[in-house]
Amino acid sequence: IINSKSYKSYLEIGCFDNELFNYVKCNKKVGVDPYTGGTIRKTSDKFFETNNDKFDCIFIDGLHTYSQVKKDIDNSLKFLNTNGIILLHDCLPNNYYEQAIPRCQWTWNGDVWKAIVESRKSKDIDVYTCYADYGIGVIIKRPNRNLLVNLNKDSSSLKFHDYFHNHKNLMNIIEYEKLIEII
């Protein structure tokens, strides 16, 4: 995506051991993590309080809870360049335990999926989930092409069974080839 769109600036929230960060090729790279990796040792909330830069590509892989991911999405949208993209990791849990809060096992997506569902209700952003690496959420700042309208529940109150029985619709799942086509 970075190469095909000729993006020049990249922000990564949650770098851990730079498993992705070290491989990203951009003129400007900023990595935010309170413990390891990246270039800035802060929480994402603290980073966004003082940040003045805008980015072409933002990758969110920080604290995997609905409330924090929702804040990271909202903050990222404020600092996203025109024609930029936000990507989120761990959007498709395979079972209840992978999304349980608090974390109870090594493989953990948290309830990131709820933030995708919430974002899909916005008319101002176009939201998808790509079948790749535990689910990659995709947010593009443009009118929503597939607005989620028939969900009366507050996203934070959704349960895993809601996701399990309707995840293809809730998450607006696409294959990688379709992702490349739409961006």
Side-chain angles (χ1 to χ4, degrees):
I1 292 171
I2 289 171
N3 291 340
S4 69
K5 300 292 274 183
S6 299
Y7 286 156
K8 305 291 183 220
S9 56
Y10 173 78
L11 169 64
E12 185 170 320
I13 302 297
C15 301
F16 190 53
D17 288 332
N18 289 337
E19 295 165 352
L20 174 63
F21 189 77
N22 285 345
Y23 295 97
V24 171
K25 305 277 189 254
C26 265
N27 295 347
K28 177 182 177 182
K29 287 189 344 181
V30 176
V32 178
D33 195 294
Y35 305 110
T36 61
T39 57
I40 296 177
R41 196 69 56 237
K42 291 182 179 179
T43 65
S44 56
D45 291 342
K46 291 290 183 192
F47 168 76
F48 283 120
E49 284 176 8
T50 59
N51 176 57
N52 294 314
D53 295 325
K54 292 206 166 212
F55 299 91
D56 296 320
C57 182
I58 301 174
F59 184 68
I60 300 172
D61 193 19
L63 183 59
H64 290 23
T65 63
Y66 164 77
S67 59
Q68 185 60 53
V69 172
K70 185 67 181 125
K71 284 195 286 186
D72 287 341
I73 291 169
D74 291 344
N75 283 323
S76 293
L77 285 166
K78 295 174 193 169
F79 296 99
L80 187 65
N81 281 328
T82 304
N83 298 318
I85 193 168
I86 298 171
L87 303 169
L88 298 94
H89 194 231
D90 294 315
C91 297
L92 295 174
N94 291 307
N95 58 57
Y96 173 82
Y97 298 104
E98 285 183 8
Q99 62 89 58
I101 305 291
R103 183 179 189 164
C104 63
Q105 64 179 33
W106 179 253
T107 301
W108 187 59
N109 300 65
D111 57 357
V112 173
W113 65 271
K114 293 178 184 180
I116 294 293
V117 172
E118 182 66 27
S119 297
R120 293 224 29 248
K121 298 177 191 177
S122 173
K123 293 178 182 175
D124 301 322
I125 54 176
D126 203 17
V127 183
Y128 303 85
T129 306
C130 181
Y131 270 129
D133 196 29
Y134 296 101
I136 302 296
V138 179
I139 298 176
I140 305 167
K141 202 187 298 186
R142 66 182 180 202
N144 193 327
R145 296 178 179 177
N146 190 12
L147 189 65
L148 185 61
V149 290
N150 294 329
L151 185 66
N152 297 328
K153 280 187 176 180
D154 173 42
S155 299
S156 66
S157 69
L158 291 170
K159 304 296 181 202
F160 183 72
H161 72 270
D162 298 316
Y163 164 85
F164 183 78
H165 294 292
N166 198 21
H167 67 280
K168 288 182 181 177
N169 178 50
L170 289 174
M171 305 304 288
N172 199 21
I173 295 177
I174 57 172
E175 297 290 339
Y176 175 75
E177 294 76 19
K178 184 69 174 172
L179 169 63
I180 297 307
E181 183 183 309
I182 64 171
I183 60 169

